[in-house]
Amino acid sequence: MTEDVFNVLIENCKMIKIIDLIHCSRIKKLILFAKENKHFRELTIDGCQDLEEIRIDSPTLRSIFYHGNVVVVRVEQGMQLYEAIFYFITSKNYMQPTHLESLVSDLSHVSILTTTHLLIEGLVVSPRDTKFRDTQYFFVNLKELHLFMDGAIFCNPYDITMFLKKCPSLVKLYIDLNEYQLDLRMYWEMHQKHLLDNWIHKFSCLKDVVLRSFKFLPSKLELVKIILQRATILESLVFLPPKTIGCNLLKRQDALKYEKLFGSWRASTRAIIKLDENYVENTLHNPTYSKCWLDAR
């Protein structure tokens, strides 16, 4: 399909509900203006290798799934977008921080967001106008966040925590660590750890957390500590072990040690903390996970 054919499709098919663009290599700039279409609900873009830019203005669009290289994305504010999946993969393309800020601003009202480390790393506080300043964005309605860390470079517990701070209504959090160790090098030790130790923010709505491919290593335990200390109404924290033989087995003395450690961190006394190697199969029944997991993995 070419850009011209796509434009004709949008202009003339007023009853269309779902569009799937799979491996459309001839589209570089996708312009989807569908204000007159009152039925359009779902958009999927996967494997369009030459795509450079996406611009969407569709009042009835509820769900967008994108899997591919980092591209410029603009979604008109005021849309009824409920769920957004932007599974960016590492490539030679680099999205400018201003483009990322524009994207998260456009997505500020979604309820479910699935994305990768590239979004967080691109939004990390950076020097602008000769000084450091925080990026101005909030996911005001976000209830569920799915974060995939495959291929991360410098993301650490502080970066993830600052992103979560921008999600004041977050109820469910799923992080696939996928062998990434989280960066605890000099900058973390000298600056960020101290900032977090003196940080008073709480995750006052967070109830359910799943950490996939979890290993009991210092960097990942730092993330667990932050979650447990600040999620005041947490109900469950589930560790999914890596798909490696033997990795899911904890010695009895280690299990008792971690149980005591987690208990000392836990702000919510009703939080249930467990290791569950069968959780992934249950999760795949969720449309968000199944589509992103099966296509992107």
Side-chain angles (χ1 to χ4, degrees), residues 81-275:
L81 197 61
Y82 175 78
E83 179 178 24
I85 302 175
F86 283 96
Y87 198 105
F88 294 120
I89 60 177
T90 304
S91 68
K92 295 180 180 179
N93 296 339
Y94 175 74
M95 185 181 288
Q96 296 294 329
T98 53
H99 291 154
L100 283 173
E101 290 176 25
S102 296
L103 174 59
V104 295
S105 176
D106 293 347
L107 298 177
S108 61
H109 293 283
V110 298
S111 294
I112 302 175
L113 175 65
T114 299
T115 191
T116 65
H117 65 94
L118 290 173
L119 186 65
I120 291 182
E121 291 182 346
L123 292 170
V124 168
V125 176
S126 58
R128 300 171 200 179
D129 302 325
T130 70
K131 63 180 181 180
F132 282 86
R133 70 173 177 85
D134 196 6
T135 50
Q136 301 301 311
Y137 67 92
F138 283 95
F139 292 98
V140 293
N141 296 329
L142 193 66
K143 300 294 191 297
E144 190 170 337
L145 173 64
H146 311 156
L147 177 61
F148 291 82
M149 300 299 295
D150 186 20
I153 300 173
F154 59 82
C155 200
N156 64 32
Y158 179 85
D159 302 324
I160 294 174
T161 303
M162 291 301 105
F163 188 84
L164 297 180
K165 179 185 176 183
K166 304 291 188 175
C167 311
S169 303
L170 192 66
V171 176
K172 296 183 179 181
L173 173 64
Y174 177 99
I175 303 179
D176 183 355
L177 295 161
N178 195 26
E179 301 300 324
Y180 182 62
Q181 301 304 318
L182 298 176
D183 186 353
L184 298 187
R185 288 178 289 186
M186 184 179 297
Y187 192 72
W188 158 264
E189 290 291 344
M190 294 183 63
H191 301 285
Q192 294 174 321
K193 188 176 186 301
H194 173 72
L195 290 173
L196 282 178
D197 288 341
N198 293 279
W199 195 50
I200 61 174
H201 183 82
K202 303 296 183 183
F203 303 133
S204 58
C205 294
L206 189 59
K207 292 183 178 181
D208 300 299
V209 178
V210 177
L211 299 179
R212 188 182 185 278
S213 297
F214 187 84
K215 294 181 180 179
F216 291 84
L217 300 173
S219 61
K220 297 180 180 181
L221 290 172
E222 285 285 350
L223 181 60
V224 173
K225 180 180 178 181
I226 293 167
I227 292 171
L228 286 176
Q229 288 182 336
R230 303 182 186 285
T232 55
I233 64 168
L234 188 70
E235 295 179 357
S236 69
L237 171 59
V238 180
F239 301 114
L240 309 184
K243 291 293 184 179
T244 305
I245 297 176
C247 283
N248 59 333
L249 300 178
L250 282 177
K251 295 181 180 179
R252 180 175 177 79
Q253 59 268 33
D254 290 335
L256 293 174
K257 177 184 70 174
Y258 289 122
E259 181 180 359
K260 183 177 180 180
L261 184 62
F262 296 155
S264 69
W265 292 339
R266 189 174 55 181
S268 172
T269 56
R270 60 181 177 178
I272 298 174
I273 306 170
K274 63 181 179 179
L275 187 73

